[in-house]
Amino acid sequence: GKEIIEIKGLVKGSTIRCKNIGKDITASFKNLVGGEMTGYNDMLTEARQIAIGRMVDEAESMGVNAIIGMRLMSSSVAAGAAEMVAYGTAVVIS
């Protein structure tokens, strides 16, 4: 029910997180017996929160009051490391 007054452009936030040896060992056991890899799940949840927070910080520095079309993307950047990116369009709404 809001009206977009101005489109400021793309905003993004990202982080690269590495798994530690403890999580790696636990994940190896889970791979054998099955089940949720809670260590990785926790790592990705934290990565999403950090990426979104950085995107919001960038948007606030542009003087906007909303982000539309937000998306999350993850990718493997190295063995044992993943990047999480949050991005969207920064807008001013009334």
Side-chain angles (χ1 to χ4, degrees):
K2 303 286 184 178
E3 182 180 340
I4 296 173
I5 296 173
E6 185 178 1
I7 298 171
K8 293 282 193 167
L10 176 73
V11 286
K12 63 186 173 1
S14 67
T15 185
I16 297 175
R17 310 301 288 179
C18 297
K19 54 190 175 185
N20 66 35
I21 190 71
K23 286 185 172 107
D24 228 8
I25 292 169
T26 303
S28 296
F29 288 127
K30 287 288 185 181
N31 237 358
L32 294 173
V33 298
E36 183 176 3
M37 294 181 179
T38 56
Y40 287 115
N41 190 40
D42 294 344
M43 180 185 75
L44 290 173
T45 297
E46 181 183 5
R48 281 190 293 273
Q49 292 170 344
I50 291 168
I52 291 169
R54 289 178 179 171
M55 177 188 63
V56 169
D57 289 345
E58 183 179 329
E60 288 175 343
S61 74
M62 296 170 71
V64 303
N65 59 2
I67 299 170
I68 59 172
M70 192 204 89
R71 300 284 187 265
L72 288 168
M73 177 184 71
S74 65
S75 62
S76 177
V77 294
E83 178 182 32
M84 182 68 65
V85 179
Y87 62 97
T89 303
V91 297
V92 177
I93 61 172
S94 65

